Amino acid sequence: MAVEQSLTPRGEQTRIHDIGYRHYDGPRLGRAYARRSLYSQSLRGSYGLGRSVKSKVLPMLLFVVMCVPALIMVAVAVATKAKALPVDYTRYAVIMQAVIGLYVASQGPQSVSRDLRFKTVPLYFSRPIETVDYVRAKYAALASALFVLTAAPLIVLYVGALLAKLDFADQTKGFGQGLVSVALLSLLFAGIGLVISSVTPRRGFGIAAVIAALTISYGAVSTVQAIAFEQSSSSAVPWLGLFSPITLIDGVQTAFLGATSAFPGSQGPSTGQGVVYLVVVLGLIAGSYGLLMRRYRKVGL
């Protein structure tokens, strides 16, 4: 059987086609610009900005749900000429912890799980951006989004208190304490949410795990605290608060910010116990950052 062979020399078979690509001759903006861009994109994505209408519904709805009770409290305070707000600034986030937990559960996986699922993380690291830039940008973006979510109703309460002509000094002090509290809460919840979400590329699994860690843990700890209080073991109540993120924040603000504790019988931690609470909170924040760095060093390989 004869085999037909091409008589055209190999060099004449090669063709170079000019398809119009041009070299980039502009400035190279480097890592800092890439990090800021990733932060901005992630922060906007946390509220669905720049994405589909469907992606905006849940975060915007949760934002409204966070602010509506504050608006109602302000309206009541102004209408009745109350001498104080119905809820302290430091208590508001504790009361609304279920909404905050749901927000972290929905936006934490959205921030990182899709990058893992579609294997785009190595593409980030092929540019000037490095692992530390990616982790810092994602952490800062979710923490900032949480701070916006939790600080907005406090601003509503503060403006309403001034409109109701409540004492300016007292309201300003309480407002400042509330901002410190929600800033610490934002860092803690963002770290926990991102660590859990980075474990699995499945967004549904990430949502369920974050809800369990933030919301279900609060219900379990509160139940055990109530049982301990009813069994005359009130000395154990403050220590049980170490096992839930929101009760950790409650303990810190009770010990150092003059807040009224939400623990059964208002059995908040003392100043000495508050030091333990603060160390645990800071340790969890630092530990979350460290775990994220370790996780993405492996992913980027």
mmCIF file of all heavy atoms in Angstrom, residues 62 97-111 142 145-146 149-150 185-186 188-194 196-197 206-207 210-211 214-215:
data_model
loop_
_atom_site.group_PDB
_atom_site.id
_atom_site.type_symbol
_atom_site.label_atom_id
_atom_site.label_comp_id
_atom_site.label_asym_id
_atom_site.label_seq_id
_atom_site.Cartn_x
_atom_site.Cartn_y
_atom_site.Cartn_z
ATOM 1 N N LEU A 62 -30.742 41.850 53.827
ATOM 2 C CA LEU A 62 -30.204 41.739 55.182
ATOM 3 C C LEU A 62 -29.781 43.104 55.720
ATOM 4 O O LEU A 62 -29.938 43.384 56.912
ATOM 5 C CB LEU A 62 -29.013 40.779 55.184
ATOM 6 C CG LEU A 62 -29.351 39.312 54.888
ATOM 7 C CD1 LEU A 62 -28.080 38.473 54.822
ATOM 8 C CD2 LEU A 62 -30.301 38.752 55.935
ATOM 9 N N GLN A 97 -27.745 39.208 66.067
ATOM 10 C CA GLN A 97 -26.665 38.285 65.694
ATOM 11 C C GLN A 97 -27.086 37.268 64.643
ATOM 12 O O GLN A 97 -26.273 36.823 63.834
ATOM 13 C CB GLN A 97 -26.122 37.578 66.935
ATOM 14 C CG GLN A 97 -27.130 36.789 67.757
ATOM 15 C CD GLN A 97 -27.379 35.404 67.215
ATOM 16 O OE1 GLN A 97 -26.518 34.837 66.559
ATOM 17 N NE2 GLN A 97 -28.554 34.857 67.477
ATOM 18 N N ALA A 98 -28.367 36.883 64.613
ATOM 19 C CA ALA A 98 -28.817 35.901 63.617
ATOM 20 C C ALA A 98 -28.713 36.477 62.207
ATOM 21 O O ALA A 98 -28.311 35.779 61.262
ATOM 22 C CB ALA A 98 -30.256 35.487 63.917
ATOM 23 N N VAL A 99 -29.040 37.747 62.056
ATOM 24 C CA VAL A 99 -28.945 38.396 60.746
ATOM 25 C C VAL A 99 -27.480 38.517 60.324
ATOM 26 O O VAL A 99 -27.126 38.274 59.170
ATOM 27 C CB VAL A 99 -29.608 39.789 60.786
ATOM 28 C CG1 VAL A 99 -29.503 40.477 59.427
ATOM 29 C CG2 VAL A 99 -31.061 39.667 61.206
ATOM 30 N N ILE A 100 -26.625 38.877 61.276
ATOM 31 C CA ILE A 100 -25.198 39.001 60.975
ATOM 32 C C ILE A 100 -24.621 37.649 60.575
ATOM 33 O O ILE A 100 -23.846 37.541 59.614
ATOM 34 C CB ILE A 100 -24.444 39.571 62.192
ATOM 35 C CG1 ILE A 100 -24.990 40.956 62.545
ATOM 36 C CG2 ILE A 100 -22.947 39.657 61.910
ATOM 37 C CD1 ILE A 100 -24.455 41.509 63.853
ATOM 38 N N GLY A 101 -24.986 36.609 61.314
ATOM 39 C CA GLY A 101 -24.505 35.270 60.983
ATOM 40 C C GLY A 101 -24.961 34.818 59.605
ATOM 41 O O GLY A 101 -24.197 34.198 58.857
ATOM 42 N N LEU A 102 -26.206 35.145 59.245
ATOM 43 C CA LEU A 102 -26.711 34.777 57.920
ATOM 44 C C LEU A 102 -25.965 35.536 56.827
ATOM 45 O O LEU A 102 -25.672 34.976 55.765
ATOM 46 C CB LEU A 102 -28.208 35.073 57.842
ATOM 47 C CG LEU A 102 -28.927 34.666 56.553
ATOM 48 C CD1 LEU A 102 -28.762 33.174 56.286
ATOM 49 C CD2 LEU A 102 -30.405 35.030 56.625
ATOM 50 N N TYR A 103 -25.618 36.787 57.094
ATOM 51 C CA TYR A 103 -24.866 37.563 56.108
ATOM 52 C C TYR A 103 -23.482 36.949 55.879
ATOM 53 O O TYR A 103 -23.045 36.791 54.741
ATOM 54 C CB TYR A 103 -24.725 39.012 56.573
ATOM 55 C CG TYR A 103 -23.978 39.882 55.597
ATOM 56 C CD1 TYR A 103 -24.630 40.499 54.536
ATOM 57 C CD2 TYR A 103 -22.597 40.073 55.709
ATOM 58 C CE1 TYR A 103 -23.945 41.273 53.621
ATOM 59 C CE2 TYR A 103 -21.903 40.841 54.794
ATOM 60 C CZ TYR A 103 -22.581 41.447 53.756
ATOM 61 O OH TYR A 103 -21.885 42.215 52.852
ATOM 62 N N VAL A 104 -22.793 36.607 56.964
ATOM 63 C CA VAL A 104 -21.468 35.989 56.825
ATOM 64 C C VAL A 104 -21.581 34.657 56.097
ATOM 65 O O VAL A 104 -20.756 34.329 55.236
ATOM 66 C CB VAL A 104 -20.811 35.787 58.206
ATOM 67 C CG1 VAL A 104 -19.455 35.107 58.062
ATOM 68 C CG2 VAL A 104 -20.636 37.116 58.915
ATOM 69 N N ALA A 105 -22.625 33.881 56.420
ATOM 70 C CA ALA A 105 -22.816 32.573 55.783
ATOM 71 C C ALA A 105 -23.060 32.703 54.282
ATOM 72 O O ALA A 105 -22.662 31.832 53.504
ATOM 73 C CB ALA A 105 -23.974 31.839 56.442
ATOM 74 N N SER A 106 -23.700 33.785 53.866
ATOM 75 C CA SER A 106 -23.994 33.955 52.443
ATOM 76 C C SER A 106 -22.832 34.581 51.681
ATOM 77 O O SER A 106 -22.574 34.220 50.525
ATOM 78 C CB SER A 106 -25.249 34.823 52.260
ATOM 79 O OG SER A 106 -25.036 36.134 52.770
ATOM 80 N N GLN A 107 -22.109 35.504 52.313
ATOM 81 C CA GLN A 107 -21.084 36.252 51.588
ATOM 82 C C GLN A 107 -19.670 35.690 51.771
ATOM 83 O O GLN A 107 -18.806 35.946 50.942
ATOM 84 C CB GLN A 107 -21.111 37.724 52.004
ATOM 85 C CG GLN A 107 -22.438 38.394 51.715
ATOM 86 C CD GLN A 107 -22.899 38.194 50.277
ATOM 87 O OE1 GLN A 107 -22.138 38.402 49.337
ATOM 88 N NE2 GLN A 107 -24.152 37.778 50.104
ATOM 89 N N GLY A 108 -19.410 34.969 52.840
ATOM 90 C CA GLY A 108 -18.099 34.340 53.007
ATOM 91 C C GLY A 108 -17.800 33.350 51.895
ATOM 92 O O GLY A 108 -16.780 33.468 51.193
ATOM 93 N N PRO A 109 -18.679 32.358 51.661
ATOM 94 C CA PRO A 109 -18.450 31.431 50.545
ATOM 95 C C PRO A 109 -18.452 32.123 49.187
ATOM 96 O O PRO A 109 -17.708 31.736 48.280
ATOM 97 C CB PRO A 109 -19.636 30.462 50.672
ATOM 98 C CG PRO A 109 -20.015 30.514 52.110
ATOM 99 C CD PRO A 109 -19.786 31.933 52.520
ATOM 100 N N GLN A 110 -19.291 33.156 49.035
ATOM 101 C CA GLN A 110 -19.302 33.884 47.769
ATOM 102 C C GLN A 110 -17.949 34.529 47.490
ATOM 103 O O GLN A 110 -17.529 34.631 46.342
ATOM 104 C CB GLN A 110 -20.397 34.953 47.821
ATOM 105 C CG GLN A 110 -20.613 35.716 46.527
ATOM 106 C CD GLN A 110 -19.653 36.904 46.373
ATOM 107 O OE1 GLN A 110 -19.094 37.111 45.300
ATOM 108 N NE2 GLN A 110 -19.426 37.664 47.422
ATOM 109 N N SER A 111 -17.253 34.925 48.541
ATOM 110 C CA SER A 111 -15.983 35.628 48.376
ATOM 111 C C SER A 111 -14.853 34.696 47.939
ATOM 112 O O SER A 111 -14.008 35.090 47.129
ATOM 113 C CB SER A 111 -15.600 36.324 49.682
ATOM 114 O OG SER A 111 -14.388 37.019 49.558
ATOM 115 N N LEU A 142 -14.287 41.463 53.452
ATOM 116 C CA LEU A 142 -15.424 40.916 54.187
ATOM 117 C C LEU A 142 -15.588 41.622 55.533
ATOM 118 O O LEU A 142 -16.708 41.886 55.971
ATOM 119 C CB LEU A 142 -15.260 39.411 54.386
ATOM 120 C CG LEU A 142 -16.452 38.694 55.040
ATOM 121 C CD1 LEU A 142 -17.739 38.942 54.243
ATOM 122 C CD2 LEU A 142 -16.198 37.205 55.174
ATOM 123 N N ALA A 145 -17.208 44.925 54.820
ATOM 124 C CA ALA A 145 -18.628 44.750 54.511
ATOM 125 C C ALA A 145 -19.433 44.501 55.783
ATOM 126 O O ALA A 145 -20.540 45.031 55.953
ATOM 127 C CB ALA A 145 -18.803 43.580 53.539
ATOM 128 N N LEU A 146 -18.879 43.717 56.694
ATOM 129 C CA LEU A 146 -19.546 43.457 57.963
ATOM 130 C C LEU A 146 -19.622 44.717 58.816
ATOM 131 O O LEU A 146 -20.624 44.957 59.500
ATOM 132 C CB LEU A 146 -18.807 42.353 58.733
ATOM 133 C CG LEU A 146 -19.193 40.919 58.383
ATOM 134 C CD1 LEU A 146 -18.236 39.944 59.054
ATOM 135 C CD2 LEU A 146 -20.616 40.640 58.833
ATOM 136 N N LEU A 149 -22.405 46.765 57.579
ATOM 137 C CA LEU A 149 -23.678 46.159 57.974
ATOM 138 C C LEU A 149 -24.023 46.451 59.426
ATOM 139 O O LEU A 149 -25.184 46.733 59.760
ATOM 140 C CB LEU A 149 -23.610 44.649 57.740
ATOM 141 C CG LEU A 149 -24.869 43.849 58.082
ATOM 142 C CD1 LEU A 149 -25.923 44.029 57.002
ATOM 143 C CD2 LEU A 149 -24.533 42.365 58.260
ATOM 144 N N THR A 150 -23.027 46.371 60.313
ATOM 145 C CA THR A 150 -23.281 46.507 61.748
ATOM 146 C C THR A 150 -23.199 47.950 62.244
ATOM 147 O O THR A 150 -23.810 48.285 63.265
ATOM 148 C CB THR A 150 -22.285 45.642 62.544
ATOM 149 O OG1 THR A 150 -20.942 45.953 62.136
ATOM 150 C CG2 THR A 150 -22.547 44.164 62.305
ATOM 151 N N LEU A 185 -16.172 42.685 66.300
ATOM 152 C CA LEU A 185 -17.058 41.623 65.803
ATOM 153 C C LEU A 185 -16.811 41.366 64.317
ATOM 154 O O LEU A 185 -16.782 40.205 63.878
ATOM 155 C CB LEU A 185 -18.509 42.020 66.054
ATOM 156 C CG LEU A 185 -19.601 41.038 65.616
ATOM 157 C CD1 LEU A 185 -20.804 41.134 66.544
ATOM 158 C CD2 LEU A 185 -20.065 41.314 64.183
ATOM 159 N N SER A 186 -16.642 42.419 63.542
ATOM 160 C CA SER A 186 -16.440 42.266 62.094
ATOM 161 C C SER A 186 -15.168 41.495 61.790
ATOM 162 O O SER A 186 -15.147 40.619 60.918
ATOM 163 C CB SER A 186 -16.396 43.647 61.427
ATOM 164 O OG SER A 186 -17.609 44.346 61.624
ATOM 165 N N LEU A 188 -13.618 39.350 63.794
ATOM 166 C CA LEU A 188 -13.754 37.969 64.260
ATOM 167 C C LEU A 188 -14.644 37.157 63.319
ATOM 168 O O LEU A 188 -14.272 36.062 62.881
ATOM 169 C CB LEU A 188 -14.331 37.957 65.677
ATOM 170 C CG LEU A 188 -14.577 36.579 66.288
ATOM 171 C CD1 LEU A 188 -13.283 35.789 66.406
ATOM 172 C CD2 LEU A 188 -15.257 36.710 67.653
ATOM 173 N N PHE A 189 -15.803 37.677 62.989
ATOM 174 C CA PHE A 189 -16.735 36.935 62.143
ATOM 175 C C PHE A 189 -16.193 36.753 60.727
ATOM 176 O O PHE A 189 -16.401 35.707 60.102
ATOM 177 C CB PHE A 189 -18.093 37.651 62.099
ATOM 178 C CG PHE A 189 -18.987 37.326 63.257
ATOM 179 C CD1 PHE A 189 -18.486 37.228 64.543
ATOM 180 C CD2 PHE A 189 -20.337 37.130 63.074
ATOM 181 C CE1 PHE A 189 -19.304 36.919 65.622
ATOM 182 C CE2 PHE A 189 -21.177 36.825 64.135
ATOM 183 C CZ PHE A 189 -20.659 36.725 65.419
ATOM 184 N N ALA A 190 -15.512 37.779 60.204
ATOM 185 C CA ALA A 190 -14.939 37.648 58.864
ATOM 186 C C ALA A 190 -13.880 36.559 58.830
ATOM 187 O O ALA A 190 -13.827 35.756 57.885
ATOM 188 C CB ALA A 190 -14.342 38.982 58.421
ATOM 189 N N GLY A 191 -13.028 36.510 59.837
ATOM 190 C CA GLY A 191 -11.991 35.487 59.882
ATOM 191 C C GLY A 191 -12.567 34.088 59.950
ATOM 192 O O GLY A 191 -12.168 33.186 59.197
ATOM 193 N N ILE A 192 -13.536 33.888 60.841
ATOM 194 C CA ILE A 192 -14.150 32.566 60.982
ATOM 195 C C ILE A 192 -14.875 32.170 59.694
ATOM 196 O O ILE A 192 -14.754 31.037 59.211
ATOM 197 C CB ILE A 192 -15.125 32.555 62.177
ATOM 198 C CG1 ILE A 192 -14.353 32.737 63.492
ATOM 199 C CG2 ILE A 192 -15.928 31.256 62.211
ATOM 200 C CD1 ILE A 192 -15.232 32.880 64.705
ATOM 201 N N GLY A 193 -15.622 33.112 59.121
ATOM 202 C CA GLY A 193 -16.367 32.813 57.901
ATOM 203 C C GLY A 193 -15.470 32.446 56.735
ATOM 204 O O GLY A 193 -15.763 31.515 55.980
ATOM 205 N N LEU A 194 -14.361 33.160 56.579
ATOM 206 C CA LEU A 194 -13.461 32.877 55.456
ATOM 207 C C LEU A 194 -12.706 31.569 55.650
ATOM 208 O O LEU A 194 -12.487 30.833 54.686
ATOM 209 C CB LEU A 194 -12.481 34.032 55.284
ATOM 210 C CG LEU A 194 -13.057 35.324 54.706
ATOM 211 C CD1 LEU A 194 -11.999 36.413 54.664
ATOM 212 C CD2 LEU A 194 -13.632 35.095 53.306
ATOM 213 N N ILE A 196 -13.713 28.872 57.254
ATOM 214 C CA ILE A 196 -14.641 27.773 56.971
ATOM 215 C C ILE A 196 -14.936 27.684 55.474
ATOM 216 O O ILE A 196 -14.958 26.600 54.887
ATOM 217 C CB ILE A 196 -15.936 27.961 57.776
ATOM 218 C CG1 ILE A 196 -15.642 27.854 59.276
ATOM 219 C CG2 ILE A 196 -16.979 26.925 57.373
ATOM 220 C CD1 ILE A 196 -16.833 28.153 60.161
ATOM 221 N N SER A 197 -15.158 28.829 54.851
ATOM 222 C CA SER A 197 -15.508 28.841 53.419
ATOM 223 C C SER A 197 -14.354 28.375 52.543
ATOM 224 O O SER A 197 -14.584 27.823 51.456
ATOM 225 C CB SER A 197 -15.926 30.254 53.001
ATOM 226 O OG SER A 197 -17.032 30.707 53.755
ATOM 227 N N GLY A 206 -20.354 25.374 52.586
ATOM 228 C CA GLY A 206 -19.784 26.505 53.310
ATOM 229 C C GLY A 206 -20.835 27.288 54.070
ATOM 230 O O GLY A 206 -20.618 27.680 55.226
ATOM 231 N N ILE A 207 -21.990 27.511 53.447
ATOM 232 C CA ILE A 207 -23.067 28.245 54.102
ATOM 233 C C ILE A 207 -23.540 27.512 55.352
ATOM 234 O O ILE A 207 -23.697 28.107 56.425
ATOM 235 C CB ILE A 207 -24.236 28.456 53.121
ATOM 236 C CG1 ILE A 207 -23.822 29.432 52.014
ATOM 237 C CG2 ILE A 207 -25.478 28.959 53.842
ATOM 238 C CD1 ILE A 207 -24.852 29.581 50.910
ATOM 239 N N VAL A 210 -20.859 27.675 58.174
ATOM 240 C CA VAL A 210 -20.748 28.997 58.808
ATOM 241 C C VAL A 210 -21.936 29.251 59.730
ATOM 242 O O VAL A 210 -21.776 29.776 60.839
ATOM 243 C CB VAL A 210 -20.644 30.099 57.737
ATOM 244 C CG1 VAL A 210 -20.706 31.478 58.382
ATOM 245 C CG2 VAL A 210 -19.342 29.955 56.963
ATOM 246 N N ILE A 211 -23.134 28.879 59.295
ATOM 247 C CA ILE A 211 -24.316 29.044 60.148
ATOM 248 C C ILE A 211 -24.168 28.236 61.428
ATOM 249 O O ILE A 211 -24.484 28.711 62.532
ATOM 250 C CB ILE A 211 -25.589 28.638 59.387
ATOM 251 C CG1 ILE A 211 -25.889 29.660 58.291
ATOM 252 C CG2 ILE A 211 -26.773 28.517 60.327
ATOM 253 C CD1 ILE A 211 -27.075 29.297 57.420
ATOM 254 N N LEU A 214 -21.523 30.022 63.753
ATOM 255 C CA LEU A 214 -21.854 31.341 64.296
ATOM 256 C C LEU A 214 -23.201 31.379 65.012
ATOM 257 O O LEU A 214 -23.297 31.930 66.114
ATOM 258 C CB LEU A 214 -21.848 32.379 63.168
ATOM 259 C CG LEU A 214 -20.515 32.587 62.451
ATOM 260 C CD1 LEU A 214 -20.662 33.659 61.364
ATOM 261 C CD2 LEU A 214 -19.408 32.961 63.421
ATOM 262 N N THR A 215 -24.222 30.822 64.395
ATOM 263 C CA THR A 215 -25.569 30.959 64.938
ATOM 264 C C THR A 215 -25.958 29.811 65.850
ATOM 265 O O THR A 215 -26.436 30.033 66.972
ATOM 266 C CB THR A 215 -26.592 31.071 63.784
ATOM 267 O OG1 THR A 215 -26.224 32.168 62.942
ATOM 268 C CG2 THR A 215 -27.989 31.307 64.320
#
